[in-house]
């Protein structure tokens, strides 16, 4: 029996599980996932401390820890040392992505046009190949491409209240490439850089 009485004790989650269903931690994890999906536990809800929940359910603390860890690995919970365990704000989308009823195979092959589109598509491709400089359609760039892009970048930067010229614009292969190039130009090996918490998985 639980050590304490929880009849009038406020708890954000008071699960009821069948202890004959083994292993118990998986049954508890399933109940937690169902309560999140069904809206019993809303995103951002702080769950009871594991010791408190273990006492309430009259279970071993390790059973509660395993159930919480199982749901945390699914992206349903987020735990912070000193703050507790919370229902993740993206728990519902994560639960959907992990749903057993969804198709196991997602077709990622070529997207082909329907039969009604073949004729106008073939006509258009034929006209393209009749052009004397048809090889331009198979290239990745075009003449003067960087000039108009740099001009657009200058105008965009100007809208932010800064002035620059096309001579000071340098394109990069994505944001991370630009940051890496900027840091390489500004910093020396061994320099320390202060940053926010890591939020973008690479």
């Amino acid at each position: 029996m639980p050590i304490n009485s929880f009849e009038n004790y406020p708890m954000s989650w008071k699960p009821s599980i069948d202890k004959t269903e083994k292993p118990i931690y998986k049954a508890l994890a399933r109940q937690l996932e169902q309560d999140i999906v069904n809206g019993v536990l809303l995103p951002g809800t702080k769950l009871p401390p594991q010791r408190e929940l273990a006492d309430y359910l009259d279970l071993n603390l390790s059973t509660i820890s395993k159930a919480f860890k199982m749901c945390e690995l699914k992206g349903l919970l987020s735990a912070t040392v000193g703050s507790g365990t919370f229902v993740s704000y993206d728990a519902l989308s994560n639960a959907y992505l992990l749903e057993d009823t969804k198709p196991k195979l997602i077709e990622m092959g070529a997207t082909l046009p329907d039969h009604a589109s073949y004729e106008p598509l073939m006509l258009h491709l034929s006209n393209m190949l009749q052009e004397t400089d048809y090889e331009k359609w198979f290239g990745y760039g075009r003449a003067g491409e960087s000039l108009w892009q740099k001009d657009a970048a200058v105008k965009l930067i100007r809208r932010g209240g800064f002035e620059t010229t096309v001579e000071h614009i340098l394109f990069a292969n994505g944001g991370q490439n630009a940051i890496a190039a900027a840091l390489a130009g500004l910093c020396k090996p061994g320099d320390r850089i202060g940053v926010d918490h890591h939020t973008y998985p690479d």
Side-chain angles (χ1 to χ4, degrees):
M1 294 292 292
I3 299 173
N4 302 304
S5 172
F6 290 89
E7 291 182 4
N8 299 311
Y9 187 79
M11 290 177 68
S12 59
W13 187 47
K14 290 185 176 182
S16 176
I17 61 170
D18 181 4
K19 293 183 181 179
T20 63
E21 189 178 347
K22 306 294 182 179
I24 296 178
Y25 79 92
K26 287 189 177 181
L28 182 61
R30 279 194 297 272
Q31 182 62 56
L32 180 53
E33 182 174 349
Q34 288 173 7
D35 285 349
I36 291 173
V37 172
N38 295 331
V40 176
L41 290 171
L42 299 176
T45 300
K46 183 177 181 179
L47 294 178
Q50 293 185 24
R51 291 186 181 278
E52 191 173 287
L53 198 57
D55 184 20
Y56 171 74
L57 293 171
D58 195 20
L59 293 172
N60 191 290
L61 177 61
S62 63
T63 301
I64 308 298
S65 298
K66 285 182 180 179
F68 274 32
K69 189 63 178 179
M70 189 174 176
C71 289
E72 188 177 348
L73 291 173
K74 288 185 175 183
L76 303 175
L77 301 179
S78 59
T80 306
V81 177
S83 299
T85 304
F86 298 82
V87 178
S88 300
Y89 283 99
D90 55 353
L92 292 177
S93 59
N94 289 337
Y96 169 75
L97 293 173
L98 293 167
E99 190 177 3
D100 293 334
T101 56
K102 74 177 189 301
K104 297 297 181 181
L105 179 65
I106 300 176
E107 175 58 48
M108 298 293 287
T111 303
L112 301 174
D114 57 82
H115 290 288
S117 303
Y118 279 134
E119 187 175 349
L121 177 61
M122 292 300 295
L123 179 61
H124 189 63
L125 289 173
S126 178
N127 291 335
M128 290 169 59
L129 292 175
Q130 296 303 316
E131 298 182 16
T132 54
D133 54 348
Y134 67 88
E135 66 274 1
K136 68 182 179 182
W137 299 113
F138 300 97
Y140 287 100
R142 59 185 183 186
E145 182 175 30
S146 61
L147 184 60
W148 72 265
Q149 288 180 338
K150 288 184 176 182
D151 186 55
V154 168
K155 293 177 181 177
L156 180 64
I157 293 172
R158 188 174 295 146
R159 291 178 61 181
F162 301 95
E163 287 294 333
T164 188
T165 61
V166 292
E167 291 79 14
H168 291 89
I169 300 293
L170 179 64
F171 289 125
N173 296 320
Q176 290 178 324
N177 180 260
I179 293 171
L183 291 177
L186 295 172
C187 304
K188 295 178 295 184
D191 287 352
R192 295 185 176 182
I193 305 170
V195 297
D196 290 330
H197 291 299
H198 176 71
T199 57
Y200 186 86
D202 195 1

